[in-house]
Amino acid sequence: METPSDEKKMITEPLLSTTKEGGFRTLPFIIANEALEKVASYGLMPNMIVYLMGEYGMETTTGSNVLFFWSAATNFMPIVGAFVADSFAGRFRTIGFGSMASLLGLILLWLTAMIPQARPSCNQILNGCEPPKVSQLILLYCSFGLMSIGAGGIRSSSLAFGADQLGKRDNLKSSGSLADLLQLTKTSLFTGFAQVLVASYKNRHLTLSSQNSNRLYYHRKGSTLLVPSEKLRFLNRACTIRNPEQDLNPDGKASDPWSLCTVDQVEELKALLKVIPLWSTGIMMAVNISQNSFPLLQAASMDRHITSNFEIPAGSFSIFMIVSLTVWVPLYNHIILPLASKIRGKPTRLSIKQRMGIGLLLSCVSMAVSAIVETVRREVAIKEGLSDDPQAVSYMSAMWLVPQYCLNGMAEAFTAIAQIEFYYSEFPRSMSSIAATLLLLGMAVANLVASSIMSAVDDVTKRGGKESWLSSNINKGHFDYYCWLLTGLSLLNLMYFLVCSRAYGPCVGEGSRKVWDEEDEMREE
């Protein structure tokens, strides 16, 4: 039987408590929000080169560079969004702002298509467009910029916000206060990295000594990591106590965190610096995958019919890469590995670095296949008398493009997933956010590298009035030569990976390695 106090509690307690998690019922909304945002970037990206060339009269290389910069900004902004969310805005506000920015960007892009004055006037008969005005380009670039900002707000916080709805939040502070900002700034990994670098520079005249010396090192209270490692020893100056009375406060804390850091901070920065060479090997693979413009023009100039009444849109061929990635991951984990283990009679599994290497090799093979297919496609188009008509469709089936997309998908399945696993295994738990960030940062850098390579090739090959390899008329250009160039660079990158892999040594689980346990301390495996 209910007492009056129980009835009073039922009346005063709100229907939707603000102190409890949303639970599983919130996840469909979070997932849908992020999925719909990706439509604004991944969904538009393949066909955007056609829009820029057809409606803005851009050359293929110019339009491709615009898309490269847009993609780079989209991949980099989540890093900024994560900092903003963790520093002062909070995840909910960051996601809300990102959603509004993404919507506004799409509206501006829609206006460029709906309002004739928002884009250059083009003569479809003469196949030419007036040069775009500055105001028209500003409107176009603002739409791209707002969508990138939206991606930064949504992608940076959706996963963590979803986890908040399922986990305990009693110990989480509300965002937005100055105290939160100061506390988060103190504990920020990026701030810690900066402190180590500054302290190392300030103490650059300090003589380094071995671990067996009587040198005192500043360590976190309760930490079992008392002495820094011997690798990258120049950073050890940051945690070396020169004068305990001057360097430490009476409570044992550093008097100046920009002159004295903990051993943990030093080792975290070492862990990051140590993986940078292997991280950089994935950039070239991302460069190959980011080549969206010319493969779309290839597909548009080939026979895309599956049946007499159905043909695949030119911008949809990238779906084969996504399908191959999606199919290969469970196929590898649930069929190939168990079958190999059964045949060998013992557990069989490729190591992290082996998978990374296989992915880089597949990426190299993919570009070689692209070069061969383009050579054949160009010869067929010329034989059919289509060299002066880049919009004409040859009789060669576009299904010849499928193998290169599938190889790219498998390459990403091997290397990208292995890299994520590599970061999470090599970093302490406190650096898990850095592990997720490195992949996005690599994709952003890859887009800038791809833009630089394309611009350099176009500038060099069109000198002397020659037709550029990357001509807007792909029947006159030599996109196959460009693919061979990327194949050569990918091969050099594979050799660079082998050198970095050997220099890095064994990963966690590959012999005797110091690894980070659940308490963020190092132990001998």
Side-chain angles (χ1 to χ4, degrees):
M1 183 175 180
E2 294 181 349
T3 63
S5 61
D6 293 333
E7 294 178 358
K8 184 177 181 181
K9 182 178 180 181
M10 292 175 62
I11 294 174
T12 58
E13 185 176 6
L15 180 61
L16 294 176
S17 175
T18 58
T19 60
K20 294 183 179 181
E21 302 84 6
F24 282 99
R25 61 183 177 180
T26 62
L27 297 186
F29 301 98
I30 297 172
I31 295 173
N33 186 53
E34 183 163 4
L36 292 174
E37 179 278 321
K38 283 182 168 56
V39 173
S41 53
Y42 295 133
L44 290 174
M45 186 69 71
N47 289 302
M48 189 54 63
I49 186 64
V50 177
Y51 182 67
L52 296 180
M53 293 176 63
E55 301 297 333
Y56 284 82
M58 292 186 182
E59 295 291 328
T60 307
T61 51
T62 303
S64 297
N65 283 330
V66 170
L67 298 181
F68 280 138
F69 287 125
W70 177 30
S71 183
T74 302
N75 288 317
F76 181 76
M77 286 306 295
I79 302 174
V80 179
F83 176 79
V84 171
D86 290 341
S87 296
F88 55 90
R91 293 176 182 133
F92 180 78
R93 293 188 184 94
T94 303
I95 294 174
F97 176 78
S99 300
M100 290 187 290
S102 182
L103 175 61
L104 184 57
L106 275 174
I107 291 175
L108 290 182
L109 186 62
W110 173 70
L111 290 177
T112 65
M114 294 298 297
I115 303 176
Q117 293 76 13
R119 62 183 187 275
S121 59
C122 296
N123 190 322
Q124 300 296 336
I125 298 177
L126 299 177
N127 196 24
C129 296
E130 295 180 357
K133 299 177 182 178
V134 175
S135 58
Q136 294 170 338
L137 290 177
I138 289 177
L139 183 63
L140 177 68
Y141 296 155
C142 282
S143 68
F144 290 155
L146 286 170
M147 283 189 282
S148 296
I149 293 173
I154 296 173
R155 299 182 192 181
S156 64
S157 303
S158 291
L159 183 61
F161 184 67
D164 288 345
Q165 309 310 305
L166 303 179
K168 295 181 179 181
R169 303 175 63 186
D170 297 336
N171 296 326
L172 294 179
K173 301 179 180 179
S174 60
S175 301
S177 67
L178 180 60
D180 292 335
L181 174 59
L182 294 176
Q183 180 65 25
L184 286 165
T185 302
K186 288 180 183 177
T187 58
S188 170
L189 278 173
F190 295 103
T191 303
F193 294 155
Q195 288 174 342
V196 173
L197 294 174
V198 172
S200 299
Y201 179 77
K202 286 184 176 181
N203 302 330
R204 62 189 181 279
H205 300 301
L206 188 65
T207 303
L208 293 173
S209 59
S210 63
Q211 291 181 339
N212 297 325
S213 67
N214 295 324
R215 181 80 68 182
L216 294 177
Y217 297 99
Y218 177 55
H219 55 84
R220 190 174 58 193
K221 186 177 180 180
S223 173
T224 59
L225 189 59
L226 307 180
V227 180
S229 63
E230 288 296 298
K231 293 184 177 181
L232 300 174
R233 294 180 65 222
F234 67 94
L235 294 175
N236 293 352
R237 295 186 177 97
C239 61
T240 302
I241 300 176
R242 296 171 294 177
N243 189 331
E245 295 181 356
Q246 295 180 357
D247 296 341
L248 300 176
N249 292 327
D251 59 358
K253 295 183 179 180
S255 58
D256 182 9
W258 294 91
S259 297
L260 181 63
C261 305
T262 65
V263 176
D264 300 83
Q265 287 178 281
V266 172
E267 291 303 315
E268 285 173 350
L269 180 58
K270 286 182 179 181
L272 176 63
L273 294 177
K274 189 179 179 183
V275 304
I276 292 299
L278 280 174
W279 164 81
S280 65
T281 61
I283 293 176
M284 193 61 219
M285 186 196 74
V287 168
N288 295 339
I289 294 176
S290 65
Q291 304 295 324
N292 296 316
S293 300
F294 280 95
L296 183 142
L297 298 180
Q298 281 181 298
S301 65
M302 301 171 74
D303 182 12
R304 305 186 304 277
H305 283 88
I306 301 298
T307 65
S308 57
N309 297 320
F310 176 76
E311 66 175 355
I312 303 176
S316 298
F317 273 79
S318 57
I319 194 67
F320 290 105
M321 182 176 71
I322 299 174
V323 170
S324 63
L325 189 156
T326 306
V327 171
W328 176 255
V329 172
L331 182 67
Y332 170 78
N333 288 324
H334 300 292
I335 296 180
I336 296 179
L337 285 183
L339 183 61
S341 300
K342 185 176 181 180
I343 293 175
R344 298 188 62 186
K346 60 180 181 180
T348 301
R349 185 175 180 84
L350 294 174
S351 68
I352 293 177
K353 289 191 290 186
Q354 285 175 337
R355 281 180 281 153
M356 290 169 63
I358 291 174
L360 296 179
L361 177 61
L362 289 175
S363 179
C364 181
V365 174
S366 172
M367 295 313 301
V369 171
S370 300
I372 295 173
V373 172
E374 172 57 17
T375 300
V376 176
R377 186 211 64 80
R378 185 174 181 274
E379 291 178 353
V380 170
I382 292 175
K383 288 181 180 179
E384 294 178 3
L386 305 177
S387 58
D388 293 325
D389 188 3
Q391 298 182 357
V393 178
S394 68
Y395 291 107
M396 183 176 177
S397 174
M399 299 307 292
W400 285 104
L401 300 174
V402 173
Q404 66 195 53
Y405 282 106
C406 292
L407 286 171
N408 271 331
M410 293 176 63
E412 190 170 7
F414 272 106
T415 298
I417 295 176
Q419 278 199 338
I420 295 175
E421 185 178 339
F422 171 69
Y423 302 144
Y424 275 99
S425 63
E426 298 296 307
F427 288 165
R429 188 177 58 182
S430 61
M431 294 178 64
S432 59
S433 59
I434 300 295
T437 299
L438 281 177
L439 187 65
L440 288 175
L441 182 60
M443 295 171 65
V445 173
N447 282 284
L448 297 179
V449 172
S451 175
S452 300
I453 294 175
M454 178 170 287
S455 298
V457 170
D458 181 61
D459 182 63
V460 171
T461 57
K462 69 181 181 181
R463 290 178 181 175
K466 298 179 181 179
E467 192 77 32
S468 171
W469 287 2
L470 302 175
S471 172
S472 297
N473 185 343
I474 60 173
N475 295 332
K476 286 188 174 181
H478 274 287
F479 181 61
D480 51 342
Y481 293 174
Y482 179 69
C483 290
W484 282 120
L485 174 63
L486 294 181
T487 302
L489 294 175
S490 299
L491 188 59
L492 291 176
N493 181 67
L494 180 60
M495 298 171 63
Y496 168 63
F497 166 78
L498 296 176
V499 173
C500 293
S501 178
R502 183 177 182 84
Y504 187 89
C507 298
V508 171
E510 300 176 0
S512 178
R513 281 277 281 104
K514 285 185 177 181
V515 299
W516 297 87
D517 63 15
E518 292 299 321
E519 301 300 326
D520 286 352
E521 309 298 348
M522 287 201 299
R523 58 179 171 81
E524 194 78 21
E525 189 174 69

